[in-house]
Amino acid sequence: MEVLCSRFVNKHMLQHYRQMNHCVVLSYSDLSIWCYACDAYLDAQVIMQLRPVYETTYILKYGEAPPFRTVESGWVEARTSCDHLGSLSSDLSHIPTPDNPCNRCHHPNENWLCLSCKEVLCSRFVNKHMLQHYRQMNHCVVLSYSDLSVWCYACDAYLDAQVIMQLRPVYETAYILKYGEAPPFRTVESGCVEAQTSCDHLGSLSSDLSHIPTPDNPCNRCHHPNENWLCLSCKEVLCSRFVNKHMLQHYRQMNHCVVLSYSDLSVWCYACDAYLDSQVIMQLRPVYETAYILKYGEAPPFRTVESGCVEAQTSCDHLDSLSSDLAHIPTLDNPCNRCHHPSENWLCLSCKEVLCSRFVNKHMLQHYRQMNHCVVLSYCDLSFWCYACDAYLDAQVIMQLRPVYETAYILKYGEAPPFRTVESSWVEARTSCDHLGSLSSDLSHIPTLDNPCNRCHHPSENWLCLSCKEVLCSRFVNKHMLQHYRQMNHCVVLGYSDLSIWCYACDAYLDAQVIMQLRPVYETAYILKYGEAPPFRTVESGWVEARTSCDHLGSLSSDLSHIPTPDNSCNRCHHPSENWLCLSCKEVLCSRFVNKHMLQHYRQMNHCVVLSYSDLSVWCYACDAYLDAQVIMQLRPVYETAYILKCGEAPPFRTVELPKDSTSSNN
């Protein structure tokens, strides 16, 4: 701690270094720190060992604490926004290579690239040519060819090129030029680092996170009143890395890595070095909900989540704005109409404009804010998003979206999409299931519908296991029924909310009105819920019973003895199976389980009676029912013809007897 004069006076400090090899010194003039051995200045705001002496001398010199830049773990934290990006060059995909020397002094390294004019100039640690360039030209945003950091002279701060979308392309280009491969980008969204939807370090969470300290608790160590975090392992409240780093120190000492911020209720994992999405990770939802209620006095507006990902909504109130012609859409290789970005683009389903995503230049988001066109389709993965709902939409369930999804799928993959079976805006229940052997032998006595979850005592959204009759909460609460299935393999369950029945093994709803083993428990639950018997559809022997009369047979073709063979494909999409024969005009079209062309035909032509080439059943759209072709005399001839064409022999007709009145009149 000897005080000696500089090399610009009598060089006593330089002589001292040569004699004693004490190389690191602090200037009392400008508080800069120099290392003779490195022959370079040292950044006291970044090098943690130097910060205390810098702070002490700053206070001695100026009488107040220094305005430290935000730093973390030995490096300056980059800003995630900047107001000076308007000056960036419009072409940053073509830049000089990182081995270019300074354009002025030809220094070979420590050079920076100006992101406005693409000039390469040396750093402030060489001859300060880039700094001079900024002062002359006011070009403030520059990229270092040494470590690919981005600096803004006007902000006096580093910028995070992985978060600021305008900087990602030039950062990626520079990285490839320097290292020969694409950079390992962090996942970012909407200008901030996106939260992970999984974490391998949740085993350390406290078993009781329903009781936590209130958000107004100060740091347990320094008593700082805000910017505090809650450790989700031991529930200690400690200050953030932006105050005295007590939570960071706690992690390093105890390895408790998952913490919740009392400022914004974000959850961070030190081990993952990432935020965690507490709306998606089921173990974190309860503590997030508790903290939200303590902070705001009401339950949080959870997004709908399922199985670790955000679930698409099956309804939307904003479909009236859809274009009336979505059969003709721009091809999927169309660039953004504004910035011409070639990928990550979306199609506006109101005006059919193609614009880039929030991960590029946010032009579709801007379009929504300007025009209020909220429903869009991603050309990347064919997902649908509604900005007004702030949610994905399920195009396989929402009927208005299926046609444009089908068109986009064909444009992208060259074939029709593998639609899930859906009907009338909801996923259709299966009429059979191979897992009914595990059902309880006594389903006439079941717990009442107001029973809470047996594990977490949640009062609603509960299901009844039809094997052991345990009542457990749904996948939208704490997933206890899903966990029960995974542990016990009890797969068939009944929802106490809407009396739907689900099979985890089939991954499908089951039709309790058709599957005979399920009718009794459905009836019992219905009576418990509504106080009366359910309005069952007519069903027989495990299948929907066919009607023996129909008022719409007058539209049948007069010549049904000559019909197309059952191997005919759909006349519109050429699908080879699941096709039906229209008994009015004899057109062959695919079923509602493929592309719904027969259903569309009925809606256009009102031809309602059709015959299935799959199982030779006859359906009437107007009656919304199957028709018994062995009983209804007008249908027997076409049924017999189709049977012979399909099976090569006459059908084994059931014995039917006409009413006596009908017989006598025929005679």
Side-chain angles (χ1 to χ4, degrees), residues 274-289:
Y275 287 100
L276 305 181
D277 193 330
S278 58
Q279 298 210 25
V280 173
I281 300 173
M282 287 299 103
Q283 299 94 316
L284 298 175
R285 285 191 89 181
V287 68
Y288 173 79
E289 184 171 12

Side-chain angles (χ1 to χ4, degrees), residues 563-568 578-581 588 611-617 642 645-646:
I563 58 173
T565 57
D567 57 0
N568 270 245
E578 285 285 341
N579 294 311
W580 291 72
L581 171 69
V588 178
L611 178 142
S612 166
Y613 272 156
S614 291
D615 59 5
L616 303 184
S617 58
L645 287 172
K646 185 175 179 75

Side-chain angles (χ1 to χ4, degrees), residues 212-229:
I212 58 174
T214 57
D216 57 1
N217 270 243
C219 172
N220 291 355
R221 297 186 189 173
C222 67
H223 307 295
H224 196 276
N226 47 41
E227 283 286 340
N228 294 313
W229 291 71

Side-chain angles (χ1 to χ4, degrees), residues 387-460:
Y387 285 105
C389 292
D390 192 33
Y392 287 101
L393 305 179
D394 193 331
Q396 299 212 27
V397 173
I398 300 173
M399 288 299 104
Q400 299 94 316
L401 299 177
R402 285 193 90 182
V404 68
Y405 174 77
E406 183 174 11
T407 301
Y409 194 99
I410 292 169
L411 286 173
K412 188 173 180 80
Y413 298 110
E415 60 183 6
F419 276 122
R420 297 195 312 272
T421 304
V422 297
E423 176 188 11
S424 309
S425 298
W426 52 277
V427 178
E428 186 176 82
R430 292 184 59 176
T431 57
S432 64
C433 173
D434 296 329
H435 309 97
L436 302 175
S438 64
L439 296 187
S440 167
S441 58
D442 178 20
L443 286 174
S444 57
H445 301 92
I446 59 173
T448 58
L449 281 66
D450 56 1
N451 269 243
C453 171
N454 290 354
R455 297 187 188 173
C456 67
H457 308 295
H458 197 276
S460 58

Side-chain angles (χ1 to χ4, degrees), residues 520-536:
V521 69
Y522 174 79
E523 185 170 11
T524 301
Y526 194 99
I527 292 169
L528 286 172
K529 189 172 179 77
Y530 298 109
E532 61 182 6
F536 276 122

